[in-house]
Amino acid sequence: MSTQEGLGTVLSCPELSCAPVPCPLPDPMSLCPLQVDKYLYHMRLSDETLLEVSQRFEKEMEKGLGADTNPTASVKMLPTFVRSTPDGTEDGDFLALDLGGTNFRVLRVKVSDNGLRKVEMENQIYAIPEELMRGSGVQLFDHIAECLANFLDKLQIKDKKLPLGFTFSFPCHQTKLDESILVTWTKGFKCSSVEGRDVVSLLRKSIKKRGDFDIDIVAVVNDTVGTMMTCGYDDQNCEVGLIVGTGTNACYMEEMRHIDLVEGDEGRMCINMEWGAFGDDGVLNDIRTEFDREIDMGSLNPGKQLFEKMISGMYMGELVRLILVKMAKDGLLFGGRLTPDLLTTGSGAFLCPTQPVDGAAPSRSCAAGDNLLLPAARTARHQRSASKDPLGPLVWMPGGAQRVPLRSPLLLPASFARRLHKTVRKLLPDCEIRFIRSEDGSGKGAAMVTAVAYRLAAQHQARQKILEPLKLSHEQLLEVKERMRIEMEKGLGKETHEEATVKMLPTYVCSTPDGTEKGDFLALDLGGTNFRVLLVRVRNGMRRGVEMHNKIYSIPVEIMQGTGEELFDHIVHCISDFLEYMGMKGVSLPLGFTFSFPCQQNNLDEGILLKWTKGFKATGCEGEDVVGLLKEAIHRREEFDLDVVAVVNDTVGTMMTCGYEDPYCEVGLIVGTGSNACYMEEMRNVELVEGDEGRMCVNMEWGAFGDSGCLDDIRTEFDVAVDEHSLNPGKQRYEKMISGMYLGEIVRNILMDFTKKGLLFRGRISERLKTRGIFETKFLSQIESDCLALLQVRSILQHLGLESTCDDSIIVKEVCTVVARRAAQLCGAGMAAVVDKIHENRGLDFLKVTVGVDGTLYKLHPHFSTVLQETVKELSPKCEVTFLQSEDGSGKGAALITAVACRIREAGQR
């Protein structure tokens, strides 16, 4: 509606509910904003709309990553098999081939890591004649090979076999880093017999056919990945790539555990998003305008690449043209005149990079910037979500920043970039995101992908060489088993016992539980700064079972390091307190004493302390019978009397605890801070004790296996370093290779060696890494946990003061795996020697036996128990060995030994 008022015209815009505004019609430069906004209103997106589209995009990303949902996803999220970005230590001479249009480039890229991190490039552009673009694939790749030969000739490097990275910017299905199947030709190419085939194989065939040069094609990537890698060399925080030009695309480093299309959960991989097709399923219909629909209908691929058609340079000028045509038809521009040029599709392309015309172009370019940013923001948000884990908040990226390289062949208005950056920061206020322009294109990026692949391969080879001695073969494990058998025989023999490292000490425990035990028993479990007093009620018959009550007491340091009399008086005081607590003062009960210190046992109720360990230094105890010292302290108190029936170590206690549940249990194993084993040996073989009838449990004290040098051929430099800096150099060598107290320190020494050689933490050794004991064995268990993401591994390393990348986390996890696996295998080889000895003793064709096990390493490490059991099965094929975890500790075992001893004693009195 309009009315004349002087020289002006009043326009009413009911759609915008605006009041009439006087505006002179003849001069387009004096158009009022509301008149223009009538055409642009639906392109202005609110923050709420942007957030909604961003959330829709994340859903499409998840669909693309899922194996079941990928076929129907519009954002395909294609794996590229690029698993790492540059870390600045790349070095070497590389070739790159950049093919994506009618011209292609061949580049030589020299990367030097001499402290200056210098990149030198030489390149040559070659044309592809139109007849080759539409000819056969053989002709095309022969031409490319000829151009490569020409380039190498010019640089006089034809005799060198250089690695090459291939940027191939056409839709492909990638199956390996160096294998890419062309899905369909675009950009005017129609070469026959290429679609559905691996382009790398075709290029290799053409090169081989020439025979005058050879190259190593390491990687094939698209231009988006190349852009990310180009910028990633200059800024190691760069993990996203973005192309904004004639078309648009993005890529980013995704956690492997999210990529269902590729096997494996370790590490990360670059994902080529192919995001131009976002919206092809209709999810953007509510924000597409009449102009977007008109552009799509007139395009070569209606209904496809709808997101790209809203944001990329190929379509932005056409969008402006359609808006100008509409305004001219409505008489608001050019005096209502329409020229043939303005009505020609594609003639508006020049408008995008120039100054805004009549206020139209800036609005759309800003809106395009908004749209472009949505997935970029979503990508960053997607990465950030991975760092929300149960171990607490993590630094999202090193330095807390994310960089996105931006490659834009089209010179878009400056407002586009400003709006792009502003929108990202608005949608992700808690992230610092910076954009870096790629100056050298995707060709350099392809060379960088190759350089990274070469660096990773070289570093992997160097690390494997270092780790190789820790990986034991089946033959080596068999040899360890045989050597353990030899040492066992020495320990059992009267004449060879003195020189034996595996002492095979008699325990005078001559029977395991048979289920008929009954009665109330006390147990005392002493093995550290805390000790337990237990009341164990054993029932037989229909009510068969064990009921336990216990109380934990501490031993002050001044008593640990005082006199023996003070120590045992304190122990008796605690027993008195427990009896009063249980209402049993004055009752005389049989007592079993778990005493986990080195002892020479001369009878079931007599143990001579050889040496204090674990910080104890009480005087007047070494060389004395600890049962006698305990009885003397009980008599001094004159409050109660106890019948000390048995003194045992924790390994024997574990066997007896499990033996009550499983009558086949005749072996005990401790794998925790330390390690030891025991088993029921035939009395005829125990030469240190008189008598040939029956069996006796032998405490192996196997931690000293190897002290004679019999394991020197499998000990590594890291084992030697740990041993030399221990409290007892040259002693307990086997224990130092398999037990929890030492595994973390072995790992730390390996990590130190890797770092010194530039294979880890970018060669930077932190003071924290130099600290002995920093790497506790519990961290091995946490790091190797299957459910733990690499970002959580990084959190553990950061807690230890070790700044790491995701690649570093993978390496640390591998080291932990190798060290823990070797420990479990060595432990398994020792156990195989034990069960083979029982099998041989009894002359059976097949032995069925159970091993009672205790110890934090066995119980808490995610893979130790499995590897141990597999090793025993492999090395002792004629034995069926079951492993039963002890749930109630060695205190219960001491009570059960007492119960068994009382049963046998009572039977002898009948």
Side-chain angles (χ1 to χ4, degrees):
M1 288 181 251
S2 64
T3 57
Q4 295 291 332
E5 184 180 355
L7 297 176
T9 298
V10 176
L11 291 181
S12 175
C13 303
E15 303 96 324
L16 303 176
S17 304
C18 56
V21 178
C23 194
L25 181 62
D27 183 5
M29 297 305 291
S30 61
L31 285 172
C32 69
L34 287 176
Q35 288 174 309
V36 175
D37 216 41
K38 172 183 176 181
Y39 301 90
L40 305 178
Y41 176 72
H42 294 291
M43 294 188 179
R44 301 191 187 282
L45 305 179
S46 66
D47 289 348
E48 291 74 19
T49 301
L50 293 174
L51 190 58
E52 171 63 25
V53 176
S54 184
Q55 290 166 351
R56 294 175 194 174
F57 201 98
E58 182 171 25
K59 289 179 181 178
E60 284 300 311
M61 290 172 70
E62 298 293 348
K63 282 177 69 176
L65 289 169
D68 295 333
T69 51
N70 177 271
T72 59
S74 58
V75 180
K76 285 300 181 185
M77 308 293 285
L78 303 175
T80 66
F81 297 86
V82 173
R83 298 175 185 268
S84 182
T85 53
D87 71 355
T89 64
E90 289 74 22
D91 189 77
D93 201 351
F94 306 95
L95 295 173
L97 178 61
D98 191 359
L99 176 62
T102 54
N103 294 324
F104 73 96
R105 281 198 307 163
V106 182
L107 305 91
R108 181 188 189 183
V109 181
K110 289 183 179 180
V111 186
S112 55
D113 178 30
N114 54 3
L116 301 176
R117 294 181 60 244
K118 187 178 178 184
V119 177
E120 299 175 80
M121 293 200 305
E122 301 171 87
N123 72 87
Q124 178 74 47
I125 296 175
Y126 295 91
I128 302 178
E130 189 170 342
E131 61 269 19
L132 287 182
M133 292 172 61
R134 300 172 185 272
S136 71
V138 172
Q139 291 173 320
L140 173 65
F141 284 98
D142 283 352
H143 174 69
I144 293 171
E146 184 179 347
C147 295
L148 268 170
N150 174 266
F151 182 76
L152 297 173
D153 261 336
K154 283 186 176 180
L155 297 182
Q156 297 181 346
I157 54 173
K158 212 171 184 180
D159 57 329
K160 294 183 179 180
K161 185 179 179 179
L162 295 179
L164 179 140
F166 188 7
T167 305
F168 189 76
S169 301
F170 298 91
C172 286
H173 169 59
Q174 199 151 354
T175 50
K176 292 191 295 187
L177 184 60
D178 63 346
E179 183 175 278
S180 193
I181 312 300
L182 177 64
V183 175
T184 180
W185 281 118
T186 57
K187 308 176 187 179
F189 281 75
K190 291 185 180 178
C191 298
S192 62
S193 303
V194 180
E195 292 179 354
R197 298 180 66 184
D198 173 28
V199 295
V200 175
S201 295
L202 293 172
L203 179 56
R204 283 175 176 153
K205 190 177 289 186
S206 291
I207 292 170
K208 187 176 181 181
K209 186 165 58 176
R210 290 183 59 88
D212 58 342
F213 71 94
D214 193 13
I215 56 175
D216 179 14
I217 305 175
V218 174
V220 56
V221 297
N222 72 0
D223 51 354
T224 319
V225 180
T227 296
M228 179 188 76
M229 297 297 279
T230 296
C231 295
Y233 182 75
D234 298 316
D235 187 330
Q236 276 87 59
N237 289 322
C238 180
E239 299 193 339
V240 182
L242 175 62
I243 297 284
V244 195
T246 307
T248 183
N249 193 18
C251 67
Y252 72 102
M253 297 300 292
E254 176 59 273
E255 302 296 314
M256 278 292 293
R257 67 183 185 278
H258 294 152
I259 307 172
D260 291 351
L261 301 176
V262 179
E263 288 186 5
D265 292 332
E266 296 295 326
R268 296 174 302 164
M269 181 180 287
C270 180
I271 290 293
N272 167 27
M273 298 177 70
E274 291 295 343
W275 76 2
F278 176 50
D280 288 4
D281 57 356
V283 297
L284 294 180
N285 285 353
D286 56 338
I287 66 166
R288 292 176 70 221
T289 67
E290 59 178 300
F291 306 113
D292 295 309
R293 290 182 170 85
E294 190 172 346
I295 281 179
D296 180 44
M297 293 305 295
S299 69
L300 294 174
N301 56 345
K304 304 293 183 184
Q305 300 294 107
L306 297 184
F307 184 63
E308 183 172 75
K309 289 169 184 173
M310 297 173 75
I311 69 174
S312 71
M314 179 177 282
Y315 302 97
M316 206 178 298
E318 182 64 7
L319 190 63
V320 171
R321 187 189 71 80
L322 291 174
I323 295 170
L324 298 184
V325 168
K326 178 73 171 172
M327 292 177 71
K329 283 181 178 178
D330 290 347
L332 295 178
L333 280 180
F334 314 131
R337 294 188 301 275
L338 294 169
T339 66
D341 284 343
L342 191 59
L343 291 172
T344 303
T345 299
S347 63
F350 72 94
L351 291 171
C352 182
T354 62
Q355 291 299 313
V357 177
D358 291 330
S363 297
R364 182 50 180 174
S365 67
C366 292
D370 289 344
N371 292 346
L372 174 63
L373 222 279
L374 299 173
R378 197 70 251 157
T379 296
R381 186 186 297 276
H382 189 72
Q383 280 194 316
R384 181 163 175 76
S385 68
S387 67
K388 295 176 180 175
D389 59 80
L391 291 180
L394 295 174
V395 178
W396 174 41
M397 284 297 165
Q402 174 68 40
R403 275 81 165 197
V404 180
L406 176 64
R407 178 182 169 205
S408 177
L410 203 61
L411 184 60
L412 296 173
S415 59
F416 185 99
R418 286 198 300 269
R419 181 62 63 92
L420 182 82
H421 304 166
K422 183 179 178 182
T423 308
V424 165
R425 288 161 186 154
K426 188 184 292 184
L427 290 176
L428 292 170
D430 54 345
C431 298
E432 181 188 344
I433 302 172
R434 292 196 284 277
F435 291 78
I436 308 167
R437 280 191 65 130
S438 170
E439 302 298 338
D440 300 308
S442 53
K444 176 183 173 183
M448 283 301 165
V449 171
T450 306
V452 168
Y454 257 62
R455 169 178 61 79
L456 292 177
Q459 291 179 340
H460 176 75
Q461 188 176 5
R463 286 192 297 269
Q464 293 311 305
K465 187 176 180 181
I466 294 168
L467 293 176
E468 196 60 36
L470 290 134
K471 298 177 180 179
L472 302 177
S473 66
H474 180 74
E475 290 71 28
Q476 285 177 304
L477 292 171
L478 275 174
E479 182 61 29
V480 171
K481 182 184 82 165
E482 292 308 315
R483 293 174 189 176
M484 176 68 86
R485 279 293 305 272
I486 293 169
E487 288 299 315
M488 289 169 68
E489 297 294 350
K490 283 184 180 179
L492 289 169
K494 196 169 187 177
E495 294 181 2
T496 52
H497 176 82
E498 191 65 34
E499 66 184 64
T501 55
V502 180
K503 286 299 182 184
M504 307 293 284
L505 303 173
T507 66
Y508 297 86
V509 172
C510 296
S511 179
T512 54
D514 66 1
T516 64
E517 294 79 15
K518 63 179 181 177
D520 291 353
F521 306 93
L522 280 177
L524 183 61
D525 191 358
L526 176 63
T529 53
N530 294 325
F531 73 100
R532 286 194 306 162
V533 183
L534 306 92
L535 173 64
V536 181
R537 290 187 166 133
V538 184
R539 301 288 178 260
N540 63 3
M542 296 293 291
R543 298 171 58 207
R544 183 178 183 275
V546 176
E547 177 189 332
M548 292 200 309
H549 304 273
N550 73 87
K551 199 171 180 182
I552 297 174
Y553 297 90
S554 63
I555 302 178
V557 176
E558 58 270 20
I559 291 179
M560 288 171 61
Q561 300 182 356
T563 66
E565 202 169 281
E566 290 170 336
L567 173 63
F568 282 94
D569 282 348
H570 175 71
I571 291 170
V572 170
H573 169 75
C574 295
I575 294 172
S576 174
D577 175 79
F578 180 75
L579 291 173
E580 190 170 341
Y581 170 74
M582 295 299 300
M584 301 183 70
K585 208 71 174 284
V587 178
S588 180
L589 294 175
L591 179 142
F593 189 5
T594 303
F595 189 74
S596 301
F597 297 91
C599 284
Q600 177 189 329
Q601 208 153 347
N602 299 323
N603 214 322
L604 182 60
D605 62 350
E606 181 183 327
I608 308 300
L609 176 63
L610 299 178
K611 185 180 181 181
W612 279 121
T613 57
K614 308 175 188 180
F616 280 76
K617 292 182 181 177
T619 59
C621 297
E622 291 180 356
E624 299 293 328
D625 173 22
V626 293
V627 175
L629 294 174
L630 178 63
K631 286 179 176 178
E632 288 172 9
I634 292 171
H635 293 152
R636 279 197 299 272
R637 193 167 182 88
E638 296 182 346
E639 282 186 15
F640 56 86
D641 195 18
L642 296 174
D643 178 15
V644 184
V645 174
V647 58
V648 297
N649 73 0
D650 51 356
T651 317
V652 181
T654 296
M655 181 189 75
M656 296 298 279
T657 297
C658 295
Y660 186 77
E661 306 296 333
D662 184 340
Y664 287 101
C665 183
E666 297 187 71
V667 184
L669 173 64
I670 298 284
V671 197
T673 307
S675 182
N676 194 15
C678 68
Y679 72 101
M680 297 301 292
E681 177 60 87
E682 304 300 312
M683 277 293 293
R684 66 179 183 273
N685 296 329
V686 186
E687 296 182 7
L688 298 180
V689 179
E690 290 185 4
D692 292 338
E693 295 299 318
R695 296 171 187 155
M696 180 180 287
C697 180
V698 169
N699 167 26
M700 296 179 67
E701 291 294 342
W702 78 0
F705 176 46
D707 289 3
S708 62
C710 66
L711 293 179
D712 285 358
D713 57 330
I714 63 167
R715 290 176 78 221
T716 67
E717 59 183 291
F718 310 110
D719 297 307
V720 172
V722 169
D723 179 39
E724 286 177 349
H725 292 99
S726 68
L727 295 173
N728 55 344
K731 305 293 183 184
Q732 302 293 103
R733 290 183 177 180
Y734 183 60
E735 184 174 73
K736 288 170 185 173
M737 296 170 80
I738 68 173
S739 73
M741 179 177 282
Y742 303 97
L743 297 191
E745 188 62 7
I746 294 173
V747 168
R748 188 191 70 83
N749 275 273
I750 295 171
L751 300 185
M752 278 278 290
D753 190 58
F754 278 7
T755 309
K756 286 176 182 176
K757 293 173 179 173
L759 305 174
L760 184 66
F761 303 136
R762 298 180 187 175
R764 300 167 191 160
I765 299 180
S766 66
E767 288 302 316
R768 198 90 167 115
L769 190 59
K770 296 176 184 176
T771 307
R772 289 194 192 97
I774 180 182
F775 217 96
E776 298 174 41
T777 299
K778 69 176 182 179
F779 294 133
L780 268 76
S781 298
Q782 291 173 2
I783 286 171
E784 281 202 71
S785 172
D786 292 329
C787 62
L788 202 65
L790 284 176
L791 281 171
Q792 293 167 300
V793 175
R794 289 177 68 186
S795 179
I796 293 171
L797 295 176
Q798 285 168 357
H799 172 72
L800 293 172
L802 304 172
E803 290 300 325
S804 66
T805 64
C806 242
D807 291 339
D808 291 334
S809 300
I810 295 171
I811 295 165
V812 170
K813 190 168 185 176
E814 181 188 11
V815 172
C816 291
T817 299
V818 169
V819 170
R821 181 175 180 80
R822 185 191 69 154
Q825 287 178 321
L826 284 172
C827 188
M831 187 48 59
V834 173
V835 296
D836 274 3
K837 181 76 166 68
I838 298 173
H839 175 254
E840 183 183 295
N841 285 344
R842 300 182 188 177
L844 300 172
D845 292 332
F846 193 80
L847 173 71
K848 183 177 180 180
V849 68
T850 297
V851 179
V853 196
D854 204 353
T856 52
L857 184 60
Y858 183 91
K859 289 182 175 181
L860 300 182
H861 191 280
H863 307 301
F864 190 97
S865 60
T866 303
V867 176
L868 168 61
Q869 292 171 33
E870 287 173 352
T871 304
V872 174
K873 188 175 182 180
E874 289 172 9
L875 300 181
S876 298
K878 293 184 179 180
C879 302
E880 181 186 329
V881 185
T882 303
F883 289 80
L884 178 62
Q885 281 196 36
S886 168
E887 300 300 335
D888 300 307
S890 52
K892 176 182 173 182
L896 286 168
I897 290 170
T898 305
V900 169
C902 289
R903 167 174 62 79
I904 293 171
R905 186 166 61 186
E906 288 171 8
Q909 291 172 352
R910 292 193 189 114

